[in-house]
Amino acid sequence: MIMLAYLAPLALFAAAALALAGPGMRPRRALLMTHAATVLAMAVAVVMAIGALAHGPASSALIGANGIGLQLRVDAVSVIMTMLVAFVGWIVVRYSRAYMDGDARQGAFMAGLCVTLGFVLLLVTAGNIGQLVLGWIGTSLSLHRLLLFYGNRPMARLAARKKFVFARVGDVCLITAAVLLVQGFGTGDIAVITEAVRMGTVPAGSGWAAFCLALTALLKSAQFPTQGWLTEVMDAPTPVSALLHAGVINAGGFLVIRFADLFLTAAPAMHLLAIVGGLTAALASLVMLLQPAVKLGLAWSTVAQMGFMLLQCGLGAFGAALLHIVAHSLYKAHAFLGSGAVVDQARAKLGHELRPTRVQDVIPALAMAAVSVVAVGWLFGVTFDTKPALVVLGAVLVMGLTHLMVLSLGQVARWPLALRAGAATLGLSALYFTLQLAVEALTRGAIPPTGTVTVGTAMIMALMFGIFAATALVQVLAPSRLALGQWRSFATHLRNGLYVTQKINSALAPRLTA
């Protein structure tokens, strides 16, 4: 019965073949079949969920040899990811029918979408390293063709080729990790590897394997300083951007979550994820506020969100990272597909004067956000002693409401507004811990729970809390400071991403323009 899960990617590949057979304008049969394939994928995801609830996690028989090949894994992680990918894929395919209507290569475009979705489903349902590598590389190559759908555009070629270079480096890291794991554990079965690690079997090369997996995840998630390709792929059709930012970009986080138990035995790999992810999230969250184009701002937002997700993984909060993937995917798909409405909202705000923000209003707001998280976490049984990572991550997330609280404190009748803002902060804190504990319960056995941390991880947590507090302070003060003519030089450097992308483009220019 588990093998029925292969129906989803097979249906998508079949629909893609049919669409390629009639790749012209308004291919009625291809449009019908691609839509039907995504509906079937959602139905398969529901069946997988029912099976997992009824019978628990399970793996299919291996199609391969020497412990490597095609193999499915049905557990909480694969079910959640399959349902997410199938749903987002269905939305993007439906949107593309109208968006690409009238394009001379509409059928070929729909085929590319289905092929990419098919490989993503192979990736998230992989129970064997062989299938995982196949899905990983297949997803990258099929997405590359979509990014070059308008290949006559110079920026599209530049971004796609730069991504191709980083992706191939990531592939080498992933294959290296796969070889080390198979040699160390004698099998490619991910469930067997996970169980062996839980029983205390940690071969000599497993630490290097985790380090290579961390590098693979960082490259896939467009972390600093390799984020340039993600912010430059704006010449691809909007459905491709939605699929990339709401789906494919999450593969790095999924990879870390799938090997969570292995990462818990490799502190250097965890620290690498936390430091690079946290710094990227802080930097990108500032850069995105200064972008003049809607899609460019959304791209930097994705870089920041992926950084925060990898920070969660690096702190051992794998359940929180999985929840972050789901929330970010749904939000970002909506944001890209509805990006035109953002322009109208921005126009409506033109002419509104910015009230100067006072530092004395920001500090109490930050303190209220942090205290609310600690207090609500204590009510939920989440404390610095039991789950310190969740407390710190929750405080960072709730800092997003700092701007709302600062605005309320800056009004004439400020205390009623401040009380409402405080109530919103408490409500968000309660929702955060409710969802976190629910995900931990749902994924029990598939993902290790968030628990105590080492001294090194605690130091990183303190550092990241300080960095994000400073970032929130800058975000709140920046609008009024810029309006007064201050911080202009600082804003210019940030708007250009500290010029890292330009330097990489210059270094790779001979190869990328060949």
Side-chain angles (χ1 to χ4, degrees):
M1 293 295 293
I2 298 177
M3 299 295 287
L4 291 177
Y6 277 126
L7 283 177
L10 289 176
L12 288 165
F13 291 147
L18 182 63
L20 285 175
M25 187 185 303
R26 299 189 181 95
R28 185 172 179 274
R29 186 174 60 173
L31 293 176
L32 178 64
M33 292 303 297
T34 52
H35 179 257
T38 56
V39 172
L40 177 60
M42 287 195 294
V44 169
V46 172
V47 172
M48 287 176 60
I50 295 173
L53 288 173
H55 305 290
S59 299
S60 70
L62 175 68
I63 304 175
N66 299 321
I68 305 174
L70 299 179
Q71 189 176 19
L72 289 167
R73 177 66 178 171
V74 177
D75 60 9
V77 175
S78 63
V79 167
I80 291 173
M81 293 300 297
T82 301
M83 296 183 72
L84 177 65
V85 171
F87 177 70
V88 171
W90 174 67
I91 294 294
V92 171
V93 167
R94 280 184 59 87
Y95 181 89
S96 300
R97 295 177 65 179
Y99 183 90
M100 299 299 294
D101 186 55
D103 193 286
R105 295 185 295 145
Q106 185 178 10
F109 180 80
M110 302 301 289
L113 286 181
C114 286
V115 170
T116 304
L117 287 171
F119 277 117
V120 174
L121 288 175
L122 282 178
L123 171 64
V124 298
T125 58
N128 192 280
I129 290 177
Q131 181 172 323
L132 187 143
V133 172
L134 173 64
W136 186 277
I137 296 177
T139 298
S140 177
L141 295 178
S142 57
L143 177 66
H144 180 75
R145 293 184 62 86
L146 284 175
L147 294 177
L148 285 173
F149 188 75
Y150 295 132
N152 59 327
R153 299 177 180 179
M155 284 303 299
R157 294 200 305 270
L158 175 65
R161 291 177 183 176
K162 184 160 48 173
K163 179 210 173 282
F164 188 86
V165 172
F166 291 137
R168 300 293 73 79
V169 176
D171 293 345
V172 172
C173 293
L174 178 61
I175 293 172
T176 302
V179 172
L180 290 172
L181 290 174
V182 173
Q183 286 181 342
F185 292 93
T187 180
D189 191 319
I190 297 175
V192 173
I193 293 174
T194 299
E195 186 60 30
V197 172
R198 291 178 180 177
M199 296 297 293
T201 302
V202 184
S206 60
W208 285 109
F211 193 81
C212 288
L213 290 174
L215 290 177
T216 305
L218 291 170
L219 288 168
K220 175 64 76 173
S221 301
Q223 296 300 279
F224 189 85
T226 67
Q227 80 288 339
W229 67 267
L230 185 63
T231 60
E232 291 176 345
V233 292
M234 298 297 106
D235 280 339
T238 295
V240 178
S241 298
L243 181 62
L244 169 61
H245 290 262
V248 176
I249 198 70
N250 294 308
F254 166 77
L255 180 68
V256 177
I257 293 170
R258 179 50 85 193
F259 290 96
D261 290 276
L262 178 68
F263 274 95
L264 289 177
T265 67
M270 296 274 285
H271 294 166
L272 176 66
L273 290 173
I275 293 173
V276 176
L279 293 177
T280 299
L283 173 64
S285 65
L286 293 175
V287 176
M288 73 177 186
L289 299 177
L290 300 168
Q291 300 308 309
V294 174
K295 290 178 68 175
L296 193 57
L298 289 175
W300 277 102
S301 169
T302 297
V303 175
Q305 295 287 349
M306 292 300 100
F308 192 76
M309 178 193 61
L310 292 177
L311 170 63
Q312 291 171 315
C313 291
L315 297 182
F318 299 103
L322 181 60
L323 177 62
H324 195 109
I325 287 177
V326 175
H328 174 261
S329 294
L330 298 177
Y331 148 70
K332 198 52 63 76
H334 176 270
F336 266 99
L337 297 181
S339 56
V342 178
V343 178
D344 297 332
Q345 295 172 9
R347 287 172 178 167
K349 295 180 180 179
L350 289 177
H352 290 202
E353 295 184 2
L354 291 172
R355 293 177 179 270
T357 303
R358 301 177 304 174
V359 177
Q360 55 265 38
D361 290 333
V362 179
I363 303 301
L366 285 172
M368 289 172 64
V371 170
S372 67
V373 171
V374 174
V376 174
W378 179 79
L379 293 176
F380 279 79
V382 178
T383 66
F384 282 106
D385 292 329
T386 59
K387 297 180 184 295
L390 287 187
V391 177
V392 173
L393 292 170
V396 170
L397 285 175
V398 175
M399 284 178 189
L401 282 182
T402 301
H403 197 191
L404 173 64
M405 300 179 71
V406 169
L407 289 177
S408 66
L409 292 173
Q411 302 299 317
V412 176
R414 62 180 185 173
W415 290 113
L417 292 174
L419 289 175
R420 292 172 60 183
T425 303
L426 291 172
L428 180 62
S429 301
L431 178 62
Y432 169 77
F433 288 114
T434 299
L435 291 175
Q436 296 297 348
L437 296 178
V439 170
E440 283 199 2
L442 186 63
T443 59
R444 185 174 290 116
I447 300 177
T450 305
T452 58
V453 298
T454 63
V455 175
T457 304
M459 294 176 62
I460 293 175
M461 287 168 51
L463 173 64
M464 291 303 160
F465 182 83
I467 288 175
F468 279 99
T471 301
L473 179 65
V474 172
Q475 288 176 337
V476 173
L477 295 177
S480 58
R481 295 298 187 274
L482 291 174
L484 295 173
Q486 303 171 353
W487 295 7
R488 292 286 178 86
S489 178
F490 177 60
T492 300
H493 298 321
L494 276 181
R495 184 180 296 111
N496 290 280
L498 303 182
Y499 309 102
V500 173
T501 298
Q502 292 88 330
K503 292 179 181 179
I504 292 178
N505 286 348
S506 299
L508 297 178
R511 292 173 178 261
L512 299 178
T513 58

